[in-house]
Every structure is written in C-alpha cells, then in structure tokens.
C-alpha cells in the first residue's frame, strides 16, 4: 500500500490526504431464522456493522463500501450503496456462488463478512471477518454441561478465509478466540457507539409512568414467557404498564402479555426518555456481545435488569442488577435491589452509568475500522 499522510489519534493512525481509494464489499445476510443454517447475519451484527460503515464513510471519503445483500437485508444498511442479490433457491452451494459472482463484478479490494459467512468468501478475496452474536454456542447461565462448539467446516472456514477479525467487546474477543481457535491478538475490539441525540427539548414523559420496558429480540426471546409469568406473580416488582421494544412475536395463547405498547422502531431521543422514566428496563439478553440497547439504557440512567452474559458485565457490571431469568427467586432479589434503591444511591448510580458509556461514539469506532482495513489494503 502506498502510505498516505497519517494523523495519530490515541492508538489509531488516521489516514488523510493522499491515501489510495479502498473499495470494500460488505457481505450481508441471508438471515432466514426459520430454517437451520439460515441465519448468517443476526440483527445485532447488521446494526453494528451498518453504523460502523456509515460512520467510516463519513470520516474517510477514500473508503467506499458496497453492501451485497438479499433484498430483505437492505433496510438495515440504509444510507450505504447496496447491490441487491437474488436468492439462489435450493441449489446446493447457491449463496456461495451468488456472492462469488457479485464480488467478481464489483472488483473490490477487501471484503467484510460475518464469520458465519466465511465459507462464502472466495479464495482470492481477502476478507475481514467480524461478529457480535454467539447465541448458537451459549455459555450456560448456571451449572451445566459445556456447550457444543461450532462445526468443524465453519471453524476451518473462519481460520482459513479471514485475514483479520474484529468484534464489539473484550468479552467477544475472548469467547470468539476460544470457540474458533483464533489467536486472541488477531481479534480487534471495535466498541459500538451511541447514536447522537438531537438535543431538542420535550416536556413531559413520552409514556405515562409507571411502566416497565422489556427489550425483545433474538437474545431475549427465550426468557419472554418466563418474564410474563413472573410479572403476573409479582406485580409489585414490575409495576404499571408494559412497553416492549422489538418486533411483535406471533400470537401465542400461553404468552398473552395483556395490554402492551409495542415499539418496533423509536428515535434515540425518545428512546432515552422512555428508558430513563421506566421503573425497570429488562434487558435479559444472552450472548449479545454488542449490547447496543443496553448502552442506550445506561446513558439514560435506567434501572436495568440483565443477564450476566455477553458484554453486559463489561460495560457497567456494578450498576446493573443481574439475575438468572429462569429462576424466579433470582429475579425477585435483583428487582428488589432496583425498586428499593434510595434517591441518593440512584443519583450516584446514574452518574457512574453515564461515565461508563460517555466515551463511546461511532466516529472513534469508525477510525478503528478504517485503520484495520488499511492494514490489509493492497
């Protein structure tokens, strides 16, 4: 690579001036959760990478991103150039052929791919692999047999097809290295950022208190039925109405939550207000190593109930109430800590939570990504 003018910022080398153009393809999807092996880019990974790529494009005009994605993944990457891909149907190895053909046509210098798609990267394309979701190989929340690791073909593809790796937290770095036998020092930690608030003033609450927020997604879905049962049994610990952030699941008579305010999408400014005014924010996420929603709740100073899994202990472990969602006494103990908190203790907690996340922003993370990509530019 012909060196450009480097501007050092902390541990990053910011490349300015005469840097050569770098064309990067992003392999996105498919994400069919209805069939085994159909989930190649979980939503948390799409959110994380899309935000990084948008920020990197804004910071360095010499780096261009082209998203190669099935049509159902395009919305995640709004604001980026997208090449829509048609499904190959049931043809064996179909997606590998689709991506190989698309990469040849785009003439890219480098590719970014979720690690589950390592086998879709042709031998002659240098790929940086990343991840944020390891739910397919969950660590047990209590004493249990060790979880099964990834299949041998996936491990080989990850080891052989990646020139480098990155993820959103030190917890991911450690766990990914254990699962895939990748050198710990080869996995770069690029933390997620927080969306900027618009700063406009709004009087009054967004949702009338009291209420409880439940973040519902792939990482929390297994605990949703137990949460509803617990709420029915302990209305004093989860008071008021229920606000659910996430996609509404299919109707199930055994999981009737009663009246619910469903929020599939919500602007960051409003979401922060919703978090801060909630009696409790339940983020019972398992094996989520980005914790984007959790970070938003921390910035808002929310009372947070979480699972000791993924990146949650890393961001603000002392200021989150952890529980085992499958054990009602554990949930009850954790919630009592939150609802019985004194005003003085609450003020101190809010200050600590804000300090824990105030340095996280997508611009700083984008420069870490640019530095990593430039390292492998021709």
């Amino acid at each position: 690579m012909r060196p450009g003018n480097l501007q050092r910022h902390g541990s990053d080398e910011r490349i300015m001036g005469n840097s050569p153009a770098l064309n990067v393809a992003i392999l996105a999807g498919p994400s069919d959760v209805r069939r085994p092996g159909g989930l190649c880019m979980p939503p948390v990974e799409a959110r994380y990478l899309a935000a990084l790529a948008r920020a990197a494009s804004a910071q360095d005009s010499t780096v261009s991103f082209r998203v190669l994605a099935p049509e159902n993944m395009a919305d995640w990457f709004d604001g980026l150039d997208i090449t829509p891909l048609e499904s190959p149907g049931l043809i064996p190895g179909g997606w590998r052929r689709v991506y190989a053909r698309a990469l040849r046509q785009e003439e890219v210098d480098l590719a970014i791919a979720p690690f589950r798609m390592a086998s879709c990267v042709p031998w002659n394309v240098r790929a940086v692999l990343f991840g944020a979701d390891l739910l397919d190989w969950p660590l047990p929340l209590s004493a249990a047999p060790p979880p099964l690791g990834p299949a041998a073909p996936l491990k080989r593809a990850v080891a052989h097809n990646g020139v480098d790796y990155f993820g959103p937290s030190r917890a991911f770095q450690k766990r990914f290295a254990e699962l895939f036998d990748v050198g710990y020092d080869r996995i770069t930690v690029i933390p997620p950022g927080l969306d900027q608030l618009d700063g406009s003033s709004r009087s009054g609450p967004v949702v009338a208190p009291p209420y409880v927020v439940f973040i519902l997604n792939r990482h929390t879905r297994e605990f949703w039925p137990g949460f509803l049962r617990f709420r029915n049994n302990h209305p004093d610990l989860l008071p008021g109405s229920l606000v659910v952030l996430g996609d509404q699941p299919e109707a199930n008579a055994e999981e009737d939550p009663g009246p619910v305010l469903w929020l599939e999408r919500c602007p960051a400014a409003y979401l922060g207000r919703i978090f801060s005014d909630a009696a409790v924010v339940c983020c019972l996420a398992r094996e989520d190593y980005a914790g984007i929603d959790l970070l938003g709740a921390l910035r808002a100073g929310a009372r947070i109930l979480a699972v000791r899994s993924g990146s949650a202990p890393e961001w603000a472990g002392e200021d989150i109430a952890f529980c085992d969602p499958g054990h009602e006494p554990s949930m009850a103990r954790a919630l009592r800590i939150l609802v019985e908190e004194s005003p003085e203790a609450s003020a101190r907690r809010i200050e600590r939570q804000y300090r824990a996340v105030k340095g996280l922003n997508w611009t700083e993370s984008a420069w870490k990504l640019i530095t990593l990509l430039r390292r492998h530019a021709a």
Side-chain angles (χ1 to χ4, degrees):
M1 179 186 77
R2 178 172 56 86
N5 297 328
L6 300 184
Q7 174 186 347
R8 293 189 180 274
H9 183 92
S11 60
D12 297 333
E13 290 182 339
R14 300 197 169 185
I15 302 165
M16 312 292 287
N18 62 338
S19 301
L22 182 61
N23 298 317
V24 181
I26 293 176
L27 277 61
S31 61
D32 188 355
V33 299
R34 294 168 296 180
R35 63 181 182 84
L39 183 63
C40 289
M41 180 175 256
V44 66
E45 294 182 355
R47 289 177 65 187
Y48 169 66
L49 183 60
L52 274 178
R54 282 192 288 263
S57 296
Q59 296 301 312
D60 189 343
S61 60
T62 67
V63 180
S64 61
F65 295 93
R66 167 69 62 174
V67 183
L68 311 180
E71 292 185 1
N72 66 344
M73 293 294 293
D75 288 348
W76 289 107
F77 294 90
D78 185 44
L80 296 170
D81 292 332
I82 298 174
T83 297
L85 303 177
E86 293 186 5
S87 171
L90 300 177
I91 300 174
W95 278 115
R96 286 194 293 273
R97 297 176 184 175
V98 167
Y99 283 107
R101 183 170 60 250
L103 288 167
R104 285 195 303 270
Q105 293 172 348
E106 296 294 337
E107 298 182 350
V108 301
D109 300 306
L110 200 64
I112 300 176
F115 71 88
R116 290 176 177 83
M117 294 182 65
S119 64
C120 293
V121 178
W123 66 271
N124 59 343
V125 174
R126 287 167 299 161
V128 176
L129 304 181
F130 84 101
D133 176 330
L134 296 175
L135 189 58
D136 295 326
W137 310 278
L139 287 169
L141 299 179
S142 56
L148 295 175
L154 178 58
K155 290 186 69 170
R156 286 195 298 270
V158 167
H160 295 160
N161 295 0
V163 297
D164 231 326
Y165 311 86
F166 70 92
S169 60
R170 291 189 301 275
F172 174 85
Q173 183 186 44
K174 178 177 184 294
R175 183 64 180 143
F176 188 80
E178 293 171 348
L179 284 170
F180 291 94
D181 298 329
V182 173
Y184 190 81
D185 58 348
R186 294 187 63 196
I187 307 167
T188 300
V189 175
I190 303 180
L194 284 166
D195 293 333
Q196 295 296 313
L197 303 180
D198 61 16
S200 60
S201 59
R202 299 180 179 88
S203 60
V206 178
V207 179
Y211 61 88
V212 171
V213 173
F214 188 94
I215 298 173
L216 182 60
N217 55 37
R218 163 175 155 82
H219 299 273
T220 67
R221 183 65 182 83
E222 67 175 296
F223 304 123
W224 172 243
F227 167 81
L228 295 177
R229 289 192 297 270
F230 182 92
R231 183 168 176 258
N232 288 333
N233 296 337
H234 301 273
D236 56 320
L237 296 176
L238 293 170
S241 56
L242 179 59
V243 177
V244 180
L245 175 64
D247 294 335
Q248 188 168 349
E250 295 181 2
N252 187 330
E254 297 180 359
E255 299 178 5
D256 182 13
V260 173
L261 174 60
W262 295 94
L263 299 175
E264 294 186 3
R265 299 286 175 89
C266 186
Y270 286 105
L271 189 58
R273 295 275 300 284
I274 291 170
F275 284 154
S276 63
D277 292 339
V280 177
V281 174
C282 299
C283 188
L284 304 177
R286 192 174 186 185
E287 299 294 320
D288 177 356
Y289 288 87
I292 295 174
D293 292 320
L294 177 69
L295 293 175
L298 286 168
R299 178 172 62 179
R303 298 178 181 90
I304 301 171
L305 180 71
V307 179
R308 196 175 291 278
S309 176
S311 63
E314 181 175 327
W315 297 129
E318 296 182 359
D319 298 303
I320 296 172
F322 290 107
C323 71
D324 178 353
H327 189 237
E328 281 205 12
S330 173
M331 287 187 67
R333 283 193 299 269
L335 284 166
R336 286 194 180 94
I337 293 173
L338 296 177
V339 299
E340 295 175 3
E341 183 181 53
S342 69
E344 295 79 11
S346 177
R348 292 193 296 270
R349 172 185 53 76
I350 291 171
E351 176 62 25
R352 290 193 302 269
Q353 288 176 325
Y354 179 75
R355 287 201 307 266
V357 301
K358 68 177 182 179
L360 297 176
N361 65 81
W362 289 112
T363 298
E364 294 297 320
S365 297
W367 279 112
K368 293 181 184 294
L369 177 63
I370 292 168
T371 301
L372 176 63
L373 296 177
R374 286 289 182 191
R375 188 185 307 162
H376 298 286

